[in-house]
């Protein structure tokens, strides 16, 4: 069959998916001690399985992986062959009566109970050890970050340093971090695969993840528990920074919002913001009217890379579209469409972008 023009991009995409990457959400490139622990569990079980196979094979390590491949082919052929045989040989035929029943084959039953049980024990022991190891609290003095899941964005609060932000968590390299997580509404799940682990956020409960990031840069993540219409639009980023870059970020985030220049477009935007609907849901430190807590704190929204649950780049164009009609970009969004005149939207955009 020749691929139709419509099919071609899909095929190319699929091939590209199997190629070189990048894979920002791979679980196989750990970037924290927690990630390494989880990755070790996977690789340890894999290599133990290989060792067991080598012993069964009589310890000939030559062509071990080729052997494993062909054994897998043999198992596949037997299973699929039996399946096809049963489907064809014992298919329903008109006029056929009830099939006769077979009961009990003690040796077989003991065999197929014992073999999986042994395999499960073999996997369960290291798994339990890892579960206990990754449930431990971070050491004293760790950076505490409160993570609050909302439909559909992430709130990150740093209670000890007085910073509140959204969707982008900043942490310093090589320092233990203790996440204390809960939800403002339904169940969400924090998952930044590079850091390891995946843990639910439930209203009325605190769940925890502790990790120490071991490489600089961005770690992509997302909500991993279906939480409503825009579950897929609930992404997050963790930015692992050097000590000095993190300190600089903290210092800037702790300040009140920038005050726009007299007579500027941003000043008009601030006025619209402070006397419009925005303040019902958003806080801007330094703007006394803006104390809403339903939506993200916007004190330094201009310093963020992304908008709307880290799904849209924080640019003038996307901000304009977001303010005008948020639900069209994030279905179910609590932020309603704002049918404002164009000049008012432009002023609001100018103001929000000035909040660096
Ligand atoms: Cu929050 Cu899915």
């Amino acid at each position: 069959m020749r691929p139709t023009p419509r099919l071609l991009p899909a095929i190319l995409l699929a091939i590209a998916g199997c190629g070189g990457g990048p894979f920002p959400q791979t679980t196989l490139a750990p970037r924290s001690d927690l990630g390494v622990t989880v990755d070790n569990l996977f690789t340890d079980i894999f290599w133990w399985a290989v060792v067991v196979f080598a012993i069964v094979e009589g310890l000939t390590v030559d062509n071990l992986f080729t052997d494993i491949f062909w054994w897998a082919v043999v198992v596949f052929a037997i299973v699929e062959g039996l399946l096809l045989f049963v489907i064809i040989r014992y298919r329903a035929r008109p006029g056929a009566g009830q099939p006769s029943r077979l009961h009990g084959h003690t040796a077989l039953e003991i065999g197929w109970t014992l073999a999986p049980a042994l395999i499960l024990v073999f996997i369960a022991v290291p798994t339990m050890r890892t579960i206990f190891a990754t449930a431990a609290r971070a050491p004293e003095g760790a950076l505490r970050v409160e993570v609050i899941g909302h439909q559909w964005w992430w709130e990150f609060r740093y209670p000890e340093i007085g910073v509140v932000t959204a969707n982008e968590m900043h942490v310093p390299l090589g320092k233990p971090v203790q996440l204390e997580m809960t939800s403002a509404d339904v169940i969400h799940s924090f998952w930044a695969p590079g850091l390891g682990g995946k843990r639910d956020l439930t209203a009325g409960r605190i769940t925890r993840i502790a990790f120490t990031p071991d490489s600089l840069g961005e770690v992509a993540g997302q909500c991993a528990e279906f939480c409503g219409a825009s579950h897929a639009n609930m992404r997050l980023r963790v930015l692992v920074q050097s000590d000095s870059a993190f300190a600089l970020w903290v210092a800037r985030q702790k300040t009140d919002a920038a005050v726009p220049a007299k007579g500027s477009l941003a000043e008009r935007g601030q006025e619209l913001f402070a006397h419009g609907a925005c303040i019902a849901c958003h806080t801007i430190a330094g703007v006394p009217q803006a104390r809403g807590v339903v939506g993200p704190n916007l004190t330094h929204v201009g310093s963020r890379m992304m908008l709307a649950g880290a799904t849209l780049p924080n640019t003038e164009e996307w901000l304009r579209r977001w303010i005008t009609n948020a639900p069209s970009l994030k279905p179910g969004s609590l932020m309603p469409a704002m049918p404002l005149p164009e000049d008012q939207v432009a002023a609001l955009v100018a103001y929000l972008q000035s909040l660096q």
Side-chain angles (χ1 to χ4, degrees), residues 43-118:
T43 41
D44 284 0
I45 289 175
F46 172 77
W47 284 111
W48 275 111
V50 170
V51 167
V52 168
F53 197 86
I55 293 168
V56 172
E57 278 241 302
L59 277 178
T60 48
V61 195
D62 318 331
N63 302 323
L64 188 63
F65 288 102
T66 327
D67 287 5
I68 292 176
F69 171 77
W70 285 113
W71 275 111
V73 170
V74 168
V75 171
F76 176 81
I78 291 173
V79 170
E80 296 303 311
L82 281 173
L83 187 66
L84 284 174
F85 171 75
V86 169
I87 287 172
I88 296 165
R89 173 78 178 73
Y90 298 106
R91 69 185 186 278
R93 290 189 180 91
Q98 285 285 315
S100 62
R101 281 164 202 205
L102 276 175
H103 280 291
H105 189 302
T106 314
L108 258 184
E109 278 171 14
I110 289 176
W112 70 48
T113 307
L114 214 57
L118 282 175

Side-chain angles (χ1 to χ4, degrees), residues 32 36 47 74 78 209 214 228 235 241 243 247 266-267 284 344:
S32 80
V36 168
W47 284 111
V74 168
I78 291 173
I209 292 181
D214 64 15
R235 303 179 141 262
Q241 298 179 295
D243 269 351
E267 192 194 36
I284 292 184
Q344 292 194 10

Side-chain angles (χ1 to χ4, degrees), residues 152 187-189 223-227 231 234:
W152 291 273
I187 300 175
H188 303 276
S189 180
C223 180
E225 179 78 50
F226 180 70
C227 55
H231 157 67
M234 190 168 168

Side-chain angles (χ1 to χ4, degrees), residues 277-300:
C278 311
I279 53 171
C281 298
H282 296 287
T283 291
I284 292 184
V287 178
Q289 297 92 334
R291 293 183 182 281
V293 292
V294 178
N297 183 311
L298 299 180
T299 308
H300 295 284

Side-chain angles (χ1 to χ4, degrees), residues 156 167-170 218-221 235-239 305-306 310:
F156 298 120
N167 303 322
E168 289 163 27
M169 186 194 334
H170 293 241
E218 216 180 293
V219 181
R235 303 179 141 262
L236 65 100
R237 290 177 178 208
V238 181
L239 294 126
M305 294 184 298
M306 306 295 285

